[in-house]
PDB file of all heavy atoms in Angstrom:
ATOM      1  N   VAL A  26     -28.468   0.004   2.972  1.00 85.00           N
ATOM      2  CA  VAL A  26     -28.268  -1.354   2.454  1.00 85.00           C
ATOM      3  C   VAL A  26     -27.148  -1.381   1.427  1.00 85.00           C
ATOM      4  O   VAL A  26     -26.275  -2.259   1.446  1.00 85.00           O
ATOM      5  CB  VAL A  26     -29.586  -1.885   1.842  1.00 85.00           C
ATOM      6  CG1 VAL A  26     -29.343  -3.207   1.108  1.00 85.00           C
ATOM      7  CG2 VAL A  26     -30.639  -2.082   2.924  1.00 85.00           C
ATOM      8  N   VAL A  27     -27.135  -0.390   0.520  1.00 83.00           N
ATOM      9  CA  VAL A  27     -26.083  -0.321  -0.493  1.00 83.00           C
ATOM     10  C   VAL A  27     -24.728  -0.109   0.165  1.00 83.00           C
ATOM     11  O   VAL A  27     -23.712  -0.700  -0.245  1.00 83.00           O
ATOM     12  CB  VAL A  27     -26.385   0.811  -1.494  1.00 83.00           C
ATOM     13  CG1 VAL A  27     -25.199   1.035  -2.421  1.00 83.00           C
ATOM     14  CG2 VAL A  27     -27.627   0.473  -2.305  1.00 83.00           C
ATOM     15  N   ALA A  28     -24.685   0.711   1.217  1.00 83.00           N
ATOM     16  CA  ALA A  28     -23.426   0.957   1.915  1.00 83.00           C
ATOM     17  C   ALA A  28     -22.908  -0.320   2.575  1.00 83.00           C
ATOM     18  O   ALA A  28     -21.719  -0.626   2.505  1.00 83.00           O
ATOM     19  CB  ALA A  28     -23.619   2.050   2.959  1.00 83.00           C
ATOM     20  N   VAL A  29     -23.814  -1.086   3.199  1.00 87.00           N
ATOM     21  CA  VAL A  29     -23.398  -2.336   3.850  1.00 87.00           C
ATOM     22  C   VAL A  29     -22.902  -3.341   2.823  1.00 87.00           C
ATOM     23  O   VAL A  29     -21.864  -3.997   3.023  1.00 87.00           O
ATOM     24  CB  VAL A  29     -24.576  -2.923   4.663  1.00 87.00           C
ATOM     25  CG1 VAL A  29     -24.238  -4.334   5.155  1.00 87.00           C
ATOM     26  CG2 VAL A  29     -24.904  -2.035   5.848  1.00 87.00           C
ATOM     27  N   VAL A  30     -23.606  -3.455   1.701  1.00 89.00           N
ATOM     28  CA  VAL A  30     -23.185  -4.393   0.648  1.00 89.00           C
ATOM     29  C   VAL A  30     -21.843  -3.961   0.058  1.00 89.00           C
ATOM     30  O   VAL A  30     -20.964  -4.795  -0.205  1.00 89.00           O
ATOM     31  CB  VAL A  30     -24.262  -4.474  -0.454  1.00 89.00           C
ATOM     32  CG1 VAL A  30     -23.775  -5.341  -1.612  1.00 89.00           C
ATOM     33  CG2 VAL A  30     -25.555  -5.045   0.112  1.00 89.00           C
ATOM     34  N   SER A  31     -21.667  -2.662  -0.136  1.00 88.00           N
ATOM     35  CA  SER A  31     -20.409  -2.164  -0.692  1.00 88.00           C
ATOM     36  C   SER A  31     -19.248  -2.449   0.246  1.00 88.00           C
ATOM     37  O   SER A  31     -18.177  -2.900  -0.184  1.00 88.00           O
ATOM     38  CB  SER A  31     -20.522  -0.661  -0.955  1.00 88.00           C
ATOM     39  OG  SER A  31     -19.316  -0.153  -1.480  1.00 88.00           O
ATOM     40  N   VAL A  32     -19.437  -2.201   1.542  1.00 88.00           N
ATOM     41  CA  VAL A  32     -18.385  -2.483   2.522  1.00 88.00           C
ATOM     42  C   VAL A  32     -18.085  -3.981   2.562  1.00 88.00           C
ATOM     43  O   VAL A  32     -16.917  -4.392   2.666  1.00 88.00           O
ATOM     44  CB  VAL A  32     -18.798  -1.974   3.916  1.00 88.00           C
ATOM     45  CG1 VAL A  32     -17.828  -2.459   4.982  1.00 88.00           C
ATOM     46  CG2 VAL A  32     -18.854  -0.451   3.923  1.00 88.00           C
ATOM     47  N   PHE A  33     -19.118  -4.805   2.443  1.00 91.00           N
ATOM     48  CA  PHE A  33     -18.915  -6.259   2.443  1.00 91.00           C
ATOM     49  C   PHE A  33     -18.049  -6.690   1.271  1.00 91.00           C
ATOM     50  O   PHE A  33     -17.090  -7.455   1.436  1.00 91.00           O
ATOM     51  CB  PHE A  33     -20.272  -6.966   2.390  1.00 91.00           C
ATOM     52  CG  PHE A  33     -20.173  -8.448   2.166  1.00 91.00           C
ATOM     53  CD1 PHE A  33     -19.795  -9.297   3.199  1.00 91.00           C
ATOM     54  CD2 PHE A  33     -20.447  -8.998   0.916  1.00 91.00           C
ATOM     55  CE1 PHE A  33     -19.696 -10.665   2.994  1.00 91.00           C
ATOM     56  CE2 PHE A  33     -20.349 -10.361   0.705  1.00 91.00           C
ATOM     57  CZ  PHE A  33     -19.977 -11.198   1.743  1.00 91.00           C
ATOM     58  N   PHE A  34     -18.350  -6.199   0.071  1.00 91.00           N
ATOM     59  CA  PHE A  34     -17.579  -6.596  -1.102  1.00 91.00           C
ATOM     60  C   PHE A  34     -16.156  -6.022  -1.063  1.00 91.00           C
ATOM     61  O   PHE A  34     -15.220  -6.667  -1.558  1.00 91.00           O
ATOM     62  CB  PHE A  34     -18.288  -6.160  -2.380  1.00 91.00           C
ATOM     63  CG  PHE A  34     -19.366  -7.096  -2.825  1.00 91.00           C
ATOM     64  CD1 PHE A  34     -20.700  -6.741  -2.752  1.00 91.00           C
ATOM     65  CD2 PHE A  34     -19.047  -8.360  -3.298  1.00 91.00           C
ATOM     66  CE1 PHE A  34     -21.703  -7.622  -3.152  1.00 91.00           C
ATOM     67  CE2 PHE A  34     -20.036  -9.249  -3.705  1.00 91.00           C
ATOM     68  CZ  PHE A  34     -21.377  -8.872  -3.624  1.00 91.00           C
ATOM     69  N   ILE A  35     -15.991  -4.847  -0.481  1.00 89.00           N
ATOM     70  CA  ILE A  35     -14.641  -4.294  -0.329  1.00 89.00           C
ATOM     71  C   ILE A  35     -13.805  -5.184   0.570  1.00 89.00           C
ATOM     72  O   ILE A  35     -12.654  -5.524   0.261  1.00 89.00           O
ATOM     73  CB  ILE A  35     -14.704  -2.863   0.230  1.00 89.00           C
ATOM     74  CG1 ILE A  35     -15.299  -1.904  -0.804  1.00 89.00           C
ATOM     75  CG2 ILE A  35     -13.311  -2.378   0.627  1.00 89.00           C
ATOM     76  CD1 ILE A  35     -15.572  -0.514  -0.260  1.00 89.00           C
ATOM     77  N   CYS A  36     -14.386  -5.594   1.690  1.00 90.00           N
ATOM     78  CA  CYS A  36     -13.660  -6.458   2.633  1.00 90.00           C
ATOM     79  C   CYS A  36     -13.344  -7.815   2.008  1.00 90.00           C
ATOM     80  O   CYS A  36     -12.237  -8.339   2.169  1.00 90.00           O
ATOM     81  CB  CYS A  36     -14.472  -6.632   3.908  1.00 90.00           C
ATOM     82  SG  CYS A  36     -14.703  -5.116   4.862  1.00 90.00           S
ATOM     83  N   VAL A  37     -14.310  -8.381   1.284  1.00 92.00           N
ATOM     84  CA  VAL A  37     -14.086  -9.677   0.639  1.00 92.00           C
ATOM     85  C   VAL A  37     -13.006  -9.568  -0.426  1.00 92.00           C
ATOM     86  O   VAL A  37     -12.133 -10.441  -0.550  1.00 92.00           O
ATOM     87  CB  VAL A  37     -15.409 -10.206   0.031  1.00 92.00           C
ATOM     88  CG1 VAL A  37     -15.149 -11.433  -0.841  1.00 92.00           C
ATOM     89  CG2 VAL A  37     -16.394 -10.555   1.132  1.00 92.00           C
ATOM     90  N   SER A  38     -13.035  -8.481  -1.210  1.00 89.00           N
ATOM     91  CA  SER A  38     -12.046  -8.299  -2.268  1.00 89.00           C
ATOM     92  C   SER A  38     -10.640  -8.152  -1.699  1.00 89.00           C
ATOM     93  O   SER A  38      -9.690  -8.773  -2.188  1.00 89.00           O
ATOM     94  CB  SER A  38     -12.415  -7.074  -3.111  1.00 89.00           C
ATOM     95  OG  SER A  38     -11.432  -6.807  -4.080  1.00 89.00           O
ATOM     96  N   VAL A  39     -10.495  -7.334  -0.659  1.00 88.00           N
ATOM     97  CA  VAL A  39      -9.178  -7.129  -0.055  1.00 88.00           C
ATOM     98  C   VAL A  39      -8.692  -8.410   0.623  1.00 88.00           C
ATOM     99  O   VAL A  39      -7.514  -8.784   0.524  1.00 88.00           O
ATOM    100  CB  VAL A  39      -9.228  -5.965   0.948  1.00 88.00           C
ATOM    101  CG1 VAL A  39      -7.914  -5.856   1.719  1.00 88.00           C
ATOM    102  CG2 VAL A  39      -9.519  -4.656   0.226  1.00 88.00           C
ATOM    103  N   LEU A  40      -9.601  -9.109   1.305  1.00 91.00           N
ATOM    104  CA  LEU A  40      -9.226 -10.365   1.961  1.00 91.00           C
ATOM    105  C   LEU A  40      -8.794 -11.414   0.933  1.00 91.00           C
ATOM    106  O   LEU A  40      -7.807 -12.133   1.138  1.00 91.00           O
ATOM    107  CB  LEU A  40     -10.407 -10.888   2.781  1.00 91.00           C
ATOM    108  CG  LEU A  40     -10.156 -12.145   3.616  1.00 91.00           C
ATOM    109  CD1 LEU A  40      -9.092 -11.877   4.672  1.00 91.00           C
ATOM    110  CD2 LEU A  40     -11.439 -12.623   4.269  1.00 91.00           C
ATOM    111  N   SER A  41      -9.511 -11.492  -0.185  1.00 90.00           N
ATOM    112  CA  SER A  41      -9.144 -12.434  -1.240  1.00 90.00           C
ATOM    113  C   SER A  41      -7.795 -12.068  -1.852  1.00 90.00           C
ATOM    114  O   SER A  41      -6.963 -12.946  -2.123  1.00 90.00           O
ATOM    115  CB  SER A  41     -10.223 -12.441  -2.326  1.00 90.00           C
ATOM    116  OG  SER A  41      -9.822 -13.192  -3.446  1.00 90.00           O
ATOM    117  N   PHE A  42      -7.561 -10.769  -2.044  1.00 86.00           N
ATOM    118  CA  PHE A  42      -6.286 -10.311  -2.611  1.00 86.00           C
ATOM    119  C   PHE A  42      -5.115 -10.690  -1.723  1.00 86.00           C
ATOM    120  O   PHE A  42      -4.035 -11.032  -2.207  1.00 86.00           O
ATOM    121  CB  PHE A  42      -6.346  -8.793  -2.814  1.00 86.00           C
ATOM    122  CG  PHE A  42      -5.110  -8.211  -3.428  1.00 86.00           C
ATOM    123  CD1 PHE A  42      -4.906  -8.265  -4.801  1.00 86.00           C
ATOM    124  CD2 PHE A  42      -4.138  -7.620  -2.646  1.00 86.00           C
ATOM    125  CE1 PHE A  42      -3.769  -7.727  -5.378  1.00 86.00           C
ATOM    126  CE2 PHE A  42      -2.997  -7.088  -3.202  1.00 86.00           C
ATOM    127  CZ  PHE A  42      -2.810  -7.141  -4.574  1.00 86.00           C
ATOM    128  N   CYS A  43      -5.326 -10.641  -0.408  1.00 87.00           N
ATOM    129  CA  CYS A  43      -4.251 -10.975   0.533  1.00 87.00           C
ATOM    130  C   CYS A  43      -4.076 -12.487   0.676  1.00 87.00           C
ATOM    131  O   CYS A  43      -2.943 -12.980   0.705  1.00 87.00           O
ATOM    132  CB  CYS A  43      -4.538 -10.351   1.903  1.00 87.00           C
ATOM    133  SG  CYS A  43      -4.576  -8.545   1.911  1.00 87.00           S
ATOM    134  N   LEU A  44      -5.179 -13.217   0.762  1.00 89.00           N
ATOM    135  CA  LEU A  44      -5.088 -14.654   1.014  1.00 89.00           C
ATOM    136  C   LEU A  44      -4.500 -15.421  -0.171  1.00 89.00           C
ATOM    137  O   LEU A  44      -3.839 -16.442   0.024  1.00 89.00           O
ATOM    138  CB  LEU A  44      -6.472 -15.222   1.348  1.00 89.00           C
ATOM    139  CG  LEU A  44      -7.029 -14.898   2.727  1.00 89.00           C
ATOM    140  CD1 LEU A  44      -8.413 -15.506   2.897  1.00 89.00           C
ATOM    141  CD2 LEU A  44      -6.097 -15.408   3.826  1.00 89.00           C
ATOM    142  N   LYS A  45      -4.713 -14.940  -1.380  1.00 86.00           N
ATOM    143  CA  LYS A  45      -4.236 -15.694  -2.535  1.00 86.00           C
ATOM    144  C   LYS A  45      -2.713 -15.660  -2.674  1.00 86.00           C
ATOM    145  O   LYS A  45      -2.162 -16.376  -3.506  1.00 86.00           O
ATOM    146  CB  LYS A  45      -4.881 -15.178  -3.823  1.00 86.00           C
ATOM    147  CG  LYS A  45      -4.402 -13.825  -4.282  1.00 86.00           C
ATOM    148  CD  LYS A  45      -5.083 -13.448  -5.587  1.00 86.00           C
ATOM    149  CE  LYS A  45      -4.559 -12.135  -6.149  1.00 86.00           C
ATOM    150  NZ  LYS A  45      -5.204 -11.786  -7.437  1.00 86.00           N
ATOM    151  N   THR A  46      -2.038 -14.850  -1.858  1.00 84.00           N
ATOM    152  CA  THR A  46      -0.580 -14.858  -1.860  1.00 84.00           C
ATOM    153  C   THR A  46      -0.006 -15.846  -0.851  1.00 84.00           C
ATOM    154  O   THR A  46       1.213 -16.049  -0.817  1.00 84.00           O
ATOM    155  CB  THR A  46      -0.039 -13.457  -1.525  1.00 84.00           C
ATOM    156  OG1 THR A  46      -0.497 -13.053  -0.228  1.00 84.00           O
ATOM    157  CG2 THR A  46      -0.523 -12.441  -2.551  1.00 84.00           C
ATOM    158  N   HIS A  47      -0.846 -16.440   0.001  1.00 87.00           N
ATOM    159  CA  HIS A  47      -0.366 -17.403   0.996  1.00 87.00           C
ATOM    160  C   HIS A  47       0.029 -18.706   0.301  1.00 87.00           C
ATOM    161  O   HIS A  47      -0.676 -19.169  -0.607  1.00 87.00           O
ATOM    162  CB  HIS A  47      -1.452 -17.664   2.038  1.00 87.00           C
ATOM    163  CG  HIS A  47      -0.945 -18.343   3.268  1.00 87.00           C
ATOM    164  ND1 HIS A  47      -0.776 -19.704   3.342  1.00 87.00           N
ATOM    165  CD2 HIS A  47      -0.563 -17.844   4.467  1.00 87.00           C
ATOM    166  CE1 HIS A  47      -0.312 -20.026   4.539  1.00 87.00           C
ATOM    167  NE2 HIS A  47      -0.172 -18.915   5.247  1.00 87.00           N
TER     168      HIS A  47
END
Side-chain angles (χ1 to χ4, degrees):
V26 171
V27 171
V29 171
V30 175
S31 179
V32 171
F33 171 76
F34 278 110
I35 291 172
C36 295
V37 171
S38 176
V39 173
L40 184 63
S41 172
F42 182 81
C43 297
L44 286 179
K45 71 178 184 179
T46 60
H47 195 277

